[in-house]
Amino acid sequence: MSTTVAPAPQAAPTAPAPPRRRTRVLALPEARWALVSLVAFLVALPLDLGSAPAWTYGPLYVVAYAAGGWEPALEGLRALREKTLDVDLLMIVAALGAAAIGQVLDGALLIVIFATSGALEALATARTADSVRGLLDLAPTTATRLRDGGEETVPTADLAVGDLVLVRPGERIGADGTVTEGTGEVDQATITGESLPILRRPGDDVFAGTLNGTGALRVRVGRDPADSVIARIVTLVEEASRTKAPTQLFIEKIEQRYSVGVVVATLAVFGIPLAFGAGLTDALLRAMTFMIVASPCAVVLATMPPLLSAIANAGRHGVLVKSAVAMERLGEIDTAALDKTGTLTEGTPEVTAVRPLADSGLDEDALLALAAAAEHPSEHPLARAIVAAARARGLRIAPADDFTAAPGRGVTAVVDGHTVHVGRAEAPDGAETTVRVTR
């Protein structure tokens, strides 16, 4: 029987996955303030448009202004103290200017939009941090260290290069190292993306956070836990969340000059008509309208929040993004070449053919039924594929006795009085599984 990677329902993992941490929206203060501002605005809006008395919606607008605008106002004042002018302060001035000329609704809407955007950016940043912490959860917190013929359970952070660690079946490996004794099949999907467990013998390297499936392994620690592959991946993701895309760098570069330009232009729009005899109210209305329209809030809000959201979303789906630059350049890609198994496919093995030997006396169904009976107690992905294929054909899976499994070699069981061995073929490519039946 041969196997291939094909779309199929994802099988249950051999060990429970680490709990996924996910920041709740209302756990963020930015989100709570934005929600208060939004609710106050939505309640005040129909009252205002419905010509209700001003005392019914006026206080609600005040709440919307205060809840959504106090933090940007504080940031803007801090920037002003450092003799810089940023978009936060410009937005607050524009909103207050709108209120000053009687356009309270417009100013409140500007505040709500800015506060909501800030909350979304904070949420995206938190979800990116969640992805990083999820990667850290892959590495176990403790390991079994062997010393002087005895065992001791120690935190993985206390492991040192040269320590000998015992990894039992079903446990996650605590540090990068080399197998010194034992044979087992290690699930390295979290590091390499390989869909099937990889046979590991003495002399082979293993990685922290990978799952040992069958067979006990003794591993000599080769790297400090802080310098493991999984730790370096976490560092890369953290650095990616702090990088800035070219578009954002450009916006930040011109933001200061643009804000100063808007303020100067607003003063000119206000002062020049006033100098030529225009009314104060008309000049102020014209100047505030210009400031609201010219405010670069929308441009600033359209840069980093989408990139942070994309990086966080990719991390939740197991895709690690090197930087915001790489994420932004994805939008320019028109052709992608992928060579990793499991990238475009499900990564689950599936039985594609059953080929009994001519003189075996077995047809395809009989051979598949024997193989499925022998593999039924096994947790190996190939075993699950064989059992699934037998069930799909409606075959009876007989109970198996004297089941034994040899890591990297196969399983042996007694089925209906026959000794059945299902194991790796001797074919050079190793693409097929053989079934040997003896009486």
Side-chain angles (χ1 to χ4, degrees), residues 5 11 17 23 34 82 94 189 227 243 247 263 294 305 341 348:
V5 177
T23 300
E82 298 175 0
D227 194 38
T243 58
T247 301
V263 171
T341 299
T348 303

Side-chain angles (χ1 to χ4, degrees), residues 121 124-132 233-245 248 304 307-312 320-325 327:
E121 182 173 354
T125 303
R127 292 289 169 83
T128 303
D130 292 343
S131 301
V132 174
I233 291 175
V234 169
T235 301
L236 287 175
V237 176
E238 289 177 334
E239 291 176 353
S241 64
R242 293 193 295 266
T243 58
K244 296 180 179 180
Q248 186 187 9
M304 199 55 192
L307 285 172
L308 285 175
S309 298
I311 293 174
L320 305 181
V321 181
K322 282 181 59 178
S323 65
V325 177
M327 178 59 73

Side-chain angles (χ1 to χ4, degrees), residues 42-114:
L42 292 179
V43 174
L45 182 62
L47 296 175
D48 187 3
L49 298 179
S51 301
W55 62 266
T56 59
Y57 59 81
L60 294 173
Y61 279 140
V62 172
V63 172
Y65 273 76
W70 76 268
E71 191 171 13
L74 184 61
E75 292 297 325
L77 291 175
R78 287 173 179 170
L80 194 60
R81 185 183 304 171
E82 298 175 0
K83 298 180 180 180
T84 60
L85 185 64
D86 66 0
V87 70
D88 290 330
L89 186 60
L90 193 62
M91 183 275 299
I92 293 297
V93 172
L96 294 178
I101 61 176
Q103 303 298 322
V104 180
L105 188 153
D106 296 334
L109 180 59
L110 182 61
I111 291 283
V112 168
I113 292 175
F114 208 83

